[in-house]
Amino acid sequence: MISIIRPGVEGSELLARRLVAVRGRRLDRAQLEGLGLETVREFHEPGCEVFPPDPQRAQVQLLVSGIVGEVRRLADGRRQILSLRLPGELLVPSGSETFVALTPVRLADGLALMMRLAEASEAHQPLRRAWISASRVDDALLRDQVVRLGRMSAYERVSHLLLEAHERLAQIGLATETTFHFPLTQEALSDAAGLSVVHLSRTVQTLRRRGLITSGRGFVRLLDRPALVEAAGFVSRFPMPWRPCDARRDPAAPERQALSRQGGDRRPRLVDVGTGGADRAG
Amino acid sequence: MISIIRPGVEGSELLARRLVAVRGRRLDRAQLEGLGLETVREFHEPGCEVFPPDPQRAQVQLLVSGIVGEVRRLADGRRQILSLRLPGELLVPSGSETFVALTPVRLADGLALMMRLAEASEAHQPLRRAWISASRVDDALLRDQVVRLGRMSAYERVSHLLLEAHERLAQIGLATETTFHFPLTQEALSDAAGLSVVHLSRTVQTLRRRGLITSGRGFVRLLDRPALVEAAGFVSRFPMPWRPCDARRDPAAPERQALSRQGGDRRPRLVDVGTGGADRAG
DNA sequence: CGGGACGTTGAAATACGTCAAACGCGGTGG
DNA sequence: CCACCGCGTTTGACGTATTTCAACGTCCCG
């Protein structure tokens, strides 16, 4: 299976896929050349804050692999994850939030990309426009988060969150039609969903008992997507609804095997341990 | 007292004040000339959707007076107000959201402003930069909303919401040090706070019983701001903390009186009816 | 073999939602 | 002027969703 920790794809490729997905249009790969995105710069253990590595280093980073949470903390220690950041996304620090690695993470310097986006050069208008589309999608996702937290039950929130994660990962080729690697702690998930860990755990189990998902070893499988969509009132924020099996088979294929032997990441954090043998069948 | 329905100030003036507040810097008023903001175009009764008046009309509008809610609806009728829009703010429609008038509202065409912001003309760089600051503040406020809904109790949410409203209104001269006009239905407030109307009502009453606020006739008075700030863990998102009594006395003064005689707005919606005579004292 | 991180479970407390009725108020029509 | 009505708020009783606390199981690692 595909690993989000080691996707087997370059960061710029993931960025490109994302820009294509948010715009629903092709993008000339030349637009992303010469940005120095190949050289991965950081590696963080889960729980670490991602910014700032050094003050003088770039303040914008491209997430190449792993999952990062955009976090706000309250005085008494309560934590809210504002958004989950997935590979191919740019992390721009913004005052009141911190970026926290929720899994092992690799980053690339995003400064050159940021500067290319800022300059209004004629040659890079397609990139610029794609970027604007990406920002709009990000914005819509943040508003989804508001609605999730404000008006949805725990059951709906978790379903919605999983559907969103699945779609976003699918768009960049890091999910199959039903399955994706999502090695988050239940504590992280609960902070994203605005729930207590305990209640999140129970909610996930309800989803499993009802046969909507299975999960374990950091993988989630959506057994009945239509039912989940129905339960969560899920609406896609991408211009094109995702459909499986297009550009997703070829470039990501290399390390299907390597992962499961090694256990994926050193700290094998699981969404949950699964119901025994429920999640074989690949 | 100052009315948010008829502030006695032009829309461009409110916009200007806002741009000053979000940047913490002066702004040459010439930057806002020739935008056609003087001609107020719309008048909506509460509950009406603000967009679109006509397809061919401008799709961007400046809110000149009154309060607008940025609304998402779920399939079963649940409603979440993503953000409250106050006078001097620009309403840009965005697909999944609708703008709903929560009080009587006046609007001006914002298209010319939008276009001036888009063109990179050297002359209007200060405006452009101020606008970027405003966007950043908006963004921070939306994230505040996420935290409110995700990790705060009803009591904290309402306190926080009131403090935010007060500060934003104070920044544009529509609030005194303690008091502001806020003629929202409790239903609207509850949809903003992610609570049921009933529970919101009880929460507001708790705040009153504890002597933190009084309210009635659409006005809210913060009796003990420090206590509210403490209770809500409130943090300002403006570059300069607001302090009373600077530019707020002169230009807004004209129609102090007109309002209370007329009852403010025709449908005198109240935040609540107050505890009898608790809110005199000027 | 012990310890720590993570997930699960059960019981009890509580915050919040729902339902239904009453109230206050301003507006309207007689 | 009063009676009535509609809208918004308030209240009480009650049900439910969610949290909290505490304990236990498991896996991995030292």
Side-chain angles (χ1 to χ4, degrees), chain B residues 12-168:
Chain B
S12 63
E13 168 66 19
L14 292 169
L15 171 60
R17 291 185 191 173
R18 198 170 113 74
L19 292 179
V20 169
V22 295
R23 192 110 197 278
R25 275 206 207 179
R26 298 213 158 284
L27 178 75
D28 186 354
R29 282 300 303 273
Q31 297 278 322
L32 292 179
E33 267 160 26
L35 293 174
L37 298 176
E38 314 81 28
T39 66
V40 170
R41 294 217 291 99
E42 312 280 342
F43 188 98
H44 290 269
E45 280 307 301
C48 289
E49 197 173 314
V50 160
F51 282 101
D54 311 316
Q56 79 273 19
R57 269 183 151 169
Q59 285 304 86
V60 183
Q61 303 194 61
L62 178 73
L63 180 54
V64 171
S65 67
I67 304 179
V68 166
E70 185 187 5
V71 167
R72 281 257 192 107
R73 291 199 149 285
L74 303 190
D76 60 351
R78 279 174 290 181
R79 186 174 82 153
Q80 176 66 47
I81 296 186
L82 300 165
S83 65
L84 294 175
R85 301 310 186 84
L86 305 180
E89 299 184 3
L90 212 56
L91 309 180
V92 185
S94 60
S96 328
E97 295 86 28
T98 61
F99 288 106
V100 174
L102 303 176
T103 70
V105 151
R106 283 182 303 154
L107 303 162
D109 182 356
L111 191 58
L113 171 59
M114 210 60 191
M115 285 170 57
R116 179 170 294 182
L117 288 165
E119 72 187 46
S121 117
E122 199 55 47
H124 294 118
Q125 282 310 303
L127 175 61
R128 198 186 167 79
R129 276 192 286 268
W131 180 254
I132 290 171
S133 300
S135 306
R136 263 201 278 274
V137 170
D138 285 348
D139 202 68
L141 292 177
L142 187 60
R143 281 151 207 271
D144 281 349
Q145 170 78 331
V146 172
V147 177
R148 254 194 314 252
L149 298 175
R151 282 300 182 218
M152 290 170 93
S153 70
Y155 189 77
E156 294 169 310
R157 289 185 210 182
V158 176
S159 307
H160 198 279
L161 206 54
L162 291 178
L163 285 166
E164 182 193 302
H166 175 243
E167 186 179 49
R168 286 166 67 192

Side-chain angles (χ1 to χ4, degrees), chain A residues 119-193:
Chain A
E119 71 187 46
S121 118
E122 199 55 46
H124 294 118
Q125 282 309 304
L127 175 61
R128 197 186 167 79
R129 276 192 286 269
W131 180 254
I132 290 170
S133 299
S135 307
R136 263 201 278 273
V137 170
D138 285 348
D139 203 67
L141 292 177
L142 188 60
R143 282 151 207 270
D144 281 349
Q145 170 78 331
V146 172
V147 177
R148 253 195 314 251
L149 297 175
R151 281 301 182 219
M152 291 169 92
S153 70
Y155 189 76
E156 294 168 311
R157 288 185 210 182
V158 176
S159 308
H160 197 278
L161 206 54
L162 292 179
L163 285 166
E164 182 193 302
H166 175 242
E167 186 179 49
R168 286 165 67 191
L169 288 172
Q171 293 284 4
I172 56 171
L174 295 188
T176 71
E177 196 170 350
T178 62
T179 309
F180 56 105
H181 190 210
F182 203 55
L184 292 187
T185 296
Q186 289 203 345
E187 194 184 350
L189 272 179
S190 70
D191 285 334

Side-chain angles (χ1 to χ4, degrees), chain B residues 249-267:
Chain B
R249 257 189 305 231
D250 20 318
E255 51 228 74
R256 287 283 161 74
Q257 309 292 51
L259 168 69
S260 46
R261 265 194 294 98
Q262 295 186 14
D265 38 290
R266 273 130 33 164
R267 297 213 226 165

Side-chain angles (χ1 to χ4, degrees), chain A:
Chain A
M1 293 302 303
I2 306 160
S3 159
I4 201 174
I5 312 288
R6 279 185 253 94
V9 187
E10 282 193 2
S12 62
E13 168 65 20
L14 292 169
L15 170 60
R17 291 185 192 173
R18 198 169 113 76
L19 292 179
V20 169
V22 295
R23 192 111 196 279
R25 276 207 206 178
R26 299 212 157 283
L27 179 75
D28 185 355
R29 281 301 304 271
Q31 296 278 322
L32 292 178
E33 267 159 26
L35 292 174
L37 298 177
E38 315 80 27
T39 66
V40 170
R41 295 219 290 100
E42 312 281 343
F43 187 98
H44 291 268
E45 280 307 301
C48 289
E49 197 173 314
V50 161
F51 282 101
D54 312 316
Q56 78 274 18
R57 269 183 151 168
Q59 285 304 87
V60 184
Q61 303 193 61
L62 178 73
L63 179 54
V64 172
S65 68
I67 303 178
V68 165
E70 186 187 5
V71 167
R72 282 258 192 105
R73 291 200 149 286
L74 303 191
D76 60 351
R78 279 175 288 181
R79 186 174 83 153
Q80 176 65 46
I81 296 185
L82 300 165
S83 65
L84 294 174
R85 301 310 187 85
L86 304 181
E89 298 184 3
L90 212 56
L91 309 181
V92 184
S94 59
S96 330
E97 295 85 29
T98 61
F99 288 106
V100 174
L102 304 176
T103 70
V105 151
R106 283 182 303 154
L107 303 161
D109 182 355
L111 193 57
L113 171 59
M114 210 59 190
M115 284 172 56
R116 179 170 295 182
L117 288 165
E119 71 187 46
S121 118
E122 199 55 46
H124 294 118
Q125 282 309 304
L127 175 61
R128 197 186 167 79
R129 276 192 286 269
W131 180 254
I132 290 170
S133 299
S135 307
R136 263 201 278 273
V137 170
D138 285 348
D139 203 67
L141 292 177
L142 188 60
R143 282 151 207 270
D144 281 349
Q145 170 78 331
V146 172
V147 177
R148 253 195 314 251
L149 297 175
R151 281 301 182 219
M152 291 169 92
S153 70
Y155 189 76
E156 294 168 311
R157 288 185 210 182
V158 176
S159 308
H160 197 278
L161 206 54
L162 292 179
L163 285 166
E164 182 193 302
H166 175 242
E167 186 179 49
R168 286 165 67 191
L169 288 172
Q171 293 284 4
I172 56 171
L174 295 188
T176 71
E177 196 170 350
T178 62
T179 309
F180 56 105
H181 190 210
F182 203 55
L184 292 187
T185 296
Q186 289 203 345
E187 194 184 350
L189 272 179
S190 70
D191 285 334
L195 300 169
S196 67
V197 205
V198 174
H199 199 240
L200 181 103
S201 176
R202 287 195 235 264
T203 306
V204 170
Q205 287 177 73
T206 304
L207 283 169
R208 271 185 299 183
R209 240 180 295 115
R210 298 193 187 170
L212 298 195
I213 68 168
T214 59
S215 60
R217 306 165 178 246
F219 283 87
V220 176
R221 159 174 306 233
L222 310 182
L223 295 177
D224 190 348
R225 222 184 90 95
L228 284 167
V229 168
E230 166 73 15
F234 181 77
V235 178
S236 169
R237 300 299 167 200
F238 288 87
M240 307 254 161
W242 172 72
R243 20 148 252 268
C245 308
D246 45 351
R248 262 159 270 296
R249 257 191 305 232
D250 19 319
E255 51 227 75
R256 287 281 162 75
Q257 308 292 50
L259 168 69
S260 46
R261 265 195 295 99
Q262 295 186 14
D265 37 289
R266 273 128 37 163
R267 296 214 227 164
R269 333 183 116 219
L270 313 177
V271 172
D272 45 49
V273 297
T275 56
D279 47 338
R280 58 209 126 94

